[in-house]
Amino acid sequence: MFNDIQQTIEDKIKAWSAANDITLATLKWTAIPFSGEWGVSTSFFQTAADEARAGKGTGKPVPQRAQELAEQVKVQMGSVEGISHVEAIKGYLNVYFATGAYARRVVDTVLASGTDFGRGSAKGERVMVEYCQPNTHHSFHIGHYRTTILGESLARLTEFAGFETIRASYPGDIGLGVITVMWAYDKFYKGQEPAGVHERGQWLLKIYAEATALLEKHDDETPEQTTQREAYEAERREMYRKWDVGDPEVRALWQETREWSLAEMHDILDTLDVKMDVFFFESEVDEPSKAIVQELIERDIATDERSIGGPVIVKIDEKLGLAKEKYRTAVILRSDGTSLYLTKDLALARVKFEQYHVDRSIYVVDFRQSLHFQQAFKILEMWGFPQAAKCYHLSYGYITLPEGAMSSRRGRVILFKEVADEAVKRVLSVESEKSGDIPESERESIARQIGLGALAYSILSVDNNKDIVFDMNEALSFDGRTGPYIQNAHVRANSILKKVNGQLPPAEFRHNMEKHEIELIEKISRFPAVVEQAANEYRPMVMAMYAYDLANTFHSFYHAVPVMQTEDGEVRNARLRLVAAAKQTIANALRLLDIHAPDVM
RNA sequence: GCCCCCGUAGCUCAAUGGAUAGAGCACCAGCCUUCUAAGCUGUAGGUUACAGGUUCGAGCCCUGUCGGGGGCGCCA
């Protein structure tokens, strides 16, 4: 956390190596495996190996030579301000911090920074995170939730790490699926409309599933059924055509039903505390996207095969001179002149670069689109956008059901709303036996925080490229490595602090600290580095792991180390400040995971 | 045929090329007159799919094999 001490040591090592004609490899600092004290560690394996390769070594095995070097440095080190002692062990140089001074510094820094503890310095780069791409006219299911929570957490991380961050959503509000719902609604349900935002959204999903069944070809259908199906199909096609040419009636129907879905989506985003900066609607990028195709043809990036009845394509592998198939050939415009997913994404990327001036563009989209994005990024590169190098597809695995993939068309989905409601219900059912004193007026809201926290954590704590087989009991578990476990650490910290009404007199940390105290301080001090890592690697999971680790350390501390019962006032004050610092760090970590940190539960 | 992801404890998952591969769940044994037991402590559980290679050092990098998932010019 504090690099100045580390820097002092590093300078000393460099001076020593220069004086002794030793070619020092780059020093990498890591945390020492915890053993009751804390500090940082670096090794000399690389330096020893370099020596051996250069032929100027001593002929000794690398580990032995590394240990020798570490010992020499240790002898050479002398005393350094803020360092209690140094040890050379197994080729590593372990530098231990002077406990009291370091502890005080960490705790004071956290308390002074508050909600800003861990915030990175401004990076001078603008990041756009595109996530939450639900289709309208269906309902928001648990798969949409995964991109939303993943993207929101990532956006919070990049923002906190110091990147200027723009949150973007790209709802699919037009396409065959949308038209299918409109057709069925218009034909069978015109004028009807259930009350309630979510009821309406879910009703559309039901209509979609019904419509799909009507339009699906069956092997054993009778001639009458075939005629019927083909007539339906023709009606749907006609409706799409009318939408395309801007028929007022169809457009009005579209606007109305689209609004139902968007209302539901906004309600869910509110529930999740997601504040989008920009919405790119598929319907709005459709028309402009066609214009870029001509430009790509003129630049000789795309090949127009329309004269022979074909589409417009980009032969990526051929253009790159690749012998093996890798990016293949991408179609960027249908032979009938209509746009495709890729057409729109290329156009959208240009808007992001030129209108929003983004330096990095991150797409939180499921892993099945990985070829699509590889193609898109390559084409952008050929097109001459340097930002293409900093485009990143954060792919994630599907959420499937035990019986197989979810399918909106078959109506076989787990809706986010169902899960969220169930989560709150389950929390309320255990609140009476497990909770502390929760004011009646807050019970519902805290139950929501805990339920949604459990759900969010169950998604964020799994590596994004893993598939998740959705299990309600697992997703909403409150025990062990879960959101509520972390929230509970925050609550316990708060319950101690309540007893002094938040009064935190200064403290020196001169007492002989127990290992649980030291370990807690060590974990807290790692938070800023974890923020950097999670943001740089685009991995919310790193923060999820850390949050658990920190809470786990706090729970152990809480159990083993008395705070209010401490007789010595000086020690009590120090521990109170440590508890406050832990509470703050837990809250900051949870916030980056889009999880609330309640004061009671 | 080609490309991408994955394979770690019974199950679900971790582990910037670095020290003794770690958690949770499940199982077993303890801990509430003491700051919230949604908790803590302990036991048990491993040939990191397999075979080579690179490296002082490989779960991690490279090659191959096997197994699972996904994708591959007009769906999104």
Side-chain angles (χ1 to χ4, degrees):
Chain A
M1 178 174 160
F2 304 113
N3 292 326
D4 50 354
I5 298 175
Q6 195 173 298
Q7 191 59 51
T8 307
I9 302 285
E10 205 167 313
D11 290 344
K12 286 205 174 206
I13 296 174
K14 281 177 182 160
W16 162 81
S17 66
N20 292 277
D21 190 31
I22 288 167
T23 312
L24 195 67
T26 311
L27 292 172
K28 287 183 295 185
W29 294 92
T30 54
I32 303 171
F34 188 74
S35 59
E37 294 177 280
W38 81 99
V40 288
S41 170
T42 193
S43 73
F44 292 91
F45 294 111
Q46 196 58 54
T47 299
D50 289 347
E51 263 184 7
R53 252 192 297 274
K56 55 184 273 196
T58 51
K60 292 175 186 164
V62 167
Q64 197 183 326
R65 175 62 181 156
Q67 174 62 13
E68 206 174 278
L69 289 169
E71 278 167 14
Q72 286 175 26
V73 171
K74 175 183 184 272
V75 171
Q76 188 57 40
M77 195 54 65
S79 81
V80 177
E81 174 75 30
I83 295 297
S84 73
H85 64 284
V86 174
E87 69 179 14
I89 190 165
K90 295 179 189 169
Y92 288 85
L93 183 77
N94 292 341
V95 176
Y96 291 95
F97 298 136
T99 24
Y102 191 76
R104 186 188 168 185
R105 213 173 147 191
V106 170
V107 169
D108 286 354
T109 301
V110 176
L111 295 181
S113 312
T115 54
D116 278 332
F117 172 59
R119 185 183 288 282
S121 54
K123 301 285 186 289
E125 269 190 73
R126 184 178 287 184
V127 177
M128 181 177 275
V129 184
E130 181 195 301
Y131 58 108
C132 185
Q133 305 93 336
N135 290 315
T136 61
H137 298 75
H138 305 169
S139 210
F140 200 98
H141 62 60
I142 198 75
H144 298 126
Y145 173 71
R146 190 171 187 180
T147 136
T148 307
I149 194 70
L150 205 50
E152 176 60 20
S153 177
L154 179 63
R156 287 177 185 220
L157 282 163
T158 56
E159 195 167 54
F160 200 62
F163 293 98
E164 189 189 341
T165 299
I166 303 176
R167 292 163 169 80
S169 172
Y170 182 26
D173 62 341
I174 189 56
L176 194 59
V178 170
I179 296 293
T180 303
V181 175
M182 286 164 55
W183 164 77
Y185 170 76
D186 190 54
K187 191 167 182 68
F188 305 111
Y189 297 100
K190 184 94 177 156
Q192 298 181 37
E193 173 182 350
V197 170
H198 293 280
E199 288 75 2
R200 258 185 343 202
Q202 292 169 27
W203 186 57
L204 290 178
L205 177 67
K206 188 182 78 101
I207 293 176
Y208 184 47
E210 283 178 13
T212 306
L214 288 176
L215 291 159
E216 210 166 37
K217 186 180 191 325
H218 296 102
D219 292 336
D220 56 347
E221 61 190 16
T222 63
E224 290 77 22
Q225 285 171 325
T226 305
T227 310
Q228 178 69 271
R229 178 173 55 75
E230 284 170 354
Y232 286 160
E233 180 60 55
E235 287 174 22
R236 178 170 69 165
R237 254 200 320 272
E238 175 61 8
M239 186 174 262
Y240 207 165
R241 191 195 63 79
K242 282 183 166 175
W243 183 89
D244 213 37
V245 299
D247 177 274
E249 237 174 86
V250 171
R251 285 285 176 145
L253 175 65
W254 174 66
Q255 286 291 356
E256 188 187 8
T257 47
R258 174 180 182 271
E259 208 44 57
W260 296 350
S261 282
L262 291 179
E264 187 185 22
M265 183 178 85
H266 283 295
D267 187 79
I268 290 171
L269 293 183
D270 283 349
T271 301
L272 300 176
D273 284 326
V274 173
K275 293 177 181 62
M276 284 292 167
D277 297 302
V278 54
F279 285 92
F280 296 116
F281 291 103
E282 197 176 343
S283 59
E284 291 172 356
V285 295
D286 182 56
E287 197 54 40
S289 73
K290 296 172 190 170
I292 67 156
V293 173
Q294 193 54 39
E295 187 178 334
L296 289 169
I297 293 170
E298 282 161 15
R299 284 170 175 262
D300 195 32
I301 293 166
T303 310
D304 191 352
E305 294 187 339
R306 279 176 293 183
S307 56
I308 53 169
V312 179
I313 59 177
V314 180
K315 298 176 181 172
I316 308 176
D317 285 340
E318 197 181 300
K319 293 279 176 198
L320 294 174
L322 299 180
K324 263 203 222 170
E325 291 181 294
K326 172 87 178 171
Y327 301 99
R328 298 165 187 277
T329 295
V331 176
I332 59 168
L333 195 72
R334 287 197 188 90
S335 50
D336 66 2
T338 55
S339 70
L340 289 147
Y341 186 38
L342 186 56
T343 328
K344 295 167 202 167
D345 250 338
L346 290 171
L348 202 48
R350 176 145 93 166
V351 171
K352 291 178 181 179
F353 298 151
E354 293 182 347
Q355 290 179 28
Y356 289 88
H357 307 288
V358 312
D359 302 297
R360 300 180 183 220
S361 189
I362 302 167
Y363 298 79
V364 186
V365 184
D366 80 82
F367 73 103
R368 296 183 199 200
Q369 316 302 333
S370 53
L371 177 61
H372 163 83
F373 282 109
Q374 283 187 45
Q375 292 178 330
F377 298 163
K378 268 295 164 214
I379 294 173
L380 289 170
E381 193 184 311
M382 296 193 284
W383 199 358
F385 287 105
Q387 298 95 324
K390 282 188 174 175
C391 282
Y392 181 76
H393 172 208
L394 175 55
S395 72
Y396 60 88
Y398 257 32
I399 296 188
T400 63
L401 305 177
E403 60 267 33
M406 285 196 284
S407 165
S408 291
R409 284 186 300 135
R410 297 201 155 67
R412 195 177 64 190
V413 297
I414 302 266
L415 296 171
F416 165 74
K417 182 69 177 154
E418 284 172 33
V419 180
D421 288 349
E422 177 65 19
V424 175
K425 207 176 91 189
R426 290 190 184 197
V427 177
L428 286 171
S429 76
V430 297
E431 255 187 2
S432 48
E433 51 172 297
K434 290 182 169 176
S435 298
D437 290 330
I438 300 181
E440 194 56 37
S441 60
E442 290 179 28
R443 283 194 71 206
E444 181 85 23
S445 124
I446 285 171
R448 180 175 300 278
Q449 293 179 22
I450 296 169
L452 291 177
L455 183 58
Y457 196 83
S458 76
I459 303 289
L460 293 175
S461 60
V462 176
D463 193 280
N464 47 271
N465 57 28
K466 281 228 152 80
D467 283 340
I468 295 176
V469 178
F470 190 80
D471 179 315
M472 189 77 86
N473 292 329
E474 253 175 59
L476 301 184
S477 165
F478 308 140
D479 302 317
R481 212 180 60 114
T482 64
Y485 175 94
I486 302 165
Q487 292 171 316
N488 189 40
H490 184 264
V491 167
R492 288 175 123 185
N494 184 62
S495 72
I496 294 175
L497 298 172
K498 261 195 306 205
K499 300 193 185 304
V500 293
N501 292 315
Q503 295 298 307
L504 300 170
E508 295 289 339
F509 288 87
R510 285 204 192 101
H511 65 288
N512 206 0
M513 282 190 278
E514 295 186 26
K515 72 169 197 184
H516 287 99
E517 294 177 273
I518 294 171
E519 192 170 7
L520 183 55
I521 292 163
E522 195 263 336
K523 290 280 157 62
I524 291 170
S525 72
R526 264 176 34 203
F527 179 64
V530 174
V531 172
E532 287 290 322
Q533 191 198 342
N536 288 334
E537 296 178 1
Y538 306 130
R539 286 171 71 206
M541 189 194 69
V542 170
M543 181 54 66
M545 292 294 150
Y546 170 80
Y548 171 77
D549 200 24
L550 176 61
N552 180 255
T553 305
F554 181 79
H555 277 305
S556 296
F557 162 87
Y558 179 90
H559 184 260
V561 183
V563 178
M564 290 311 293
Q565 285 85 352
T566 311
E567 306 254 321
D568 187 325
E570 176 66 25
V571 176
R572 186 170 61 235
N573 286 341
R575 288 180 178 165
L576 275 168
R577 288 176 74 79
L578 174 55
V579 169
K583 182 191 168 189
Q584 184 69 63
T585 309
I586 293 168
N588 290 5
L590 285 175
R591 194 177 68 237
L592 295 174
L593 299 172
D594 194 10
I595 296 175
H596 282 271
D599 279 336
V600 289
M601 66 187 277

